Amino acid sequence: MRSLCMISVLAACMFAGCASERGESVIMPGFDFSSISEVAVLDPSGDIYGETAKNQIADFFEMELMSKGYPCIARTRIKKLLDEQDFQASDVTSNADVAKVGEILNVPVVMLVNIPKFESKMTVTAKLVQVETGHILWIGEGSGSTG
């Protein structure tokens, strides 16, 4: 799981045109990551311009999760289910919100990605949150510069 953490954050940062300068991650000790049956990757939040950029960043995280054996829900399904419940993914700001989204989507784990400023120097943070408990299972970050 630790390699998934670093790879995911750095891959997203590299995708955005960054040369990685640093990154780190922390996992919840003792959690059995093999018990994760499905993950919903929500649209990245932060100062990101355009749906295309959001989709590409989320796609990178999905590719990394899937390459490590974690099935992901298609974001079109996520958007449809959240729209049906009048719940916008951009409203997800707390672990309680994550729990509500996870219940709507019927998934055990939700991944949140945040890029506060999408510019020449940027930081990407991501976390996996267990829906049932609201606990953060993994959190990672990476930063870099474009060019």
Side-chain angles (χ1 to χ4, degrees):
M1 183 63 186
R2 191 169 298 276
S3 64
L4 165 70
C5 305
M6 292 305 296
I7 291 170
S8 295
V9 171
L10 297 177
C13 200
M14 286 170 33
F15 162 77
C18 296
S20 177
E21 294 174 359
R22 65 183 181 92
E24 60 182 281
S25 64
V26 179
I27 62 172
M28 175 183 266
F31 182 78
D32 179 12
F33 285 90
S34 67
S35 69
I36 296 174
S37 60
E38 206 168 25
V39 178
V41 177
L42 300 185
D43 281 345
S45 63
D47 189 18
I48 305 168
Y49 304 107
E51 286 300 309
T52 301
K54 286 183 179 185
N55 285 335
Q56 289 175 330
I57 292 165
D59 285 348
F60 242 166
F61 277 91
E62 288 174 342
M63 283 186 341
E64 290 300 323
L65 286 164
M66 291 178 68
S67 74
K68 301 296 181 194
Y70 299 99
C72 295
I73 293 179
R75 278 189 320 288
T76 53
R77 180 175 159 217
I78 291 171
K79 288 178 185 180
K80 180 181 177 190
L81 290 170
L82 293 179
D83 286 347
E84 288 172 3
Q85 296 293 317
D86 292 326
F87 193 96
Q88 298 298 315
S90 61
D91 293 338
V92 178
T93 57
S94 71
N95 289 3
D97 293 336
V98 170
K100 181 172 172 121
V101 167
E103 289 172 9
I104 291 169
L105 300 174
N106 194 29
V107 294
V109 176
V110 173
M111 176 171 265
L112 302 173
V113 178
N114 185 36
I115 303 174
K117 293 190 181 209
F118 195 73
E119 52 190 29
S120 63
K121 289 191 180 238
M122 61 166 67
T123 299
V124 177
T125 59
K127 62 183 173 179
L128 285 172
V129 179
Q130 186 177 33
V131 171
E132 186 178 322
T133 64
H135 291 142
I136 297 172
L137 303 175
W138 166 82
I139 187 165
E141 63 91 23
S143 64
S145 301
T146 60

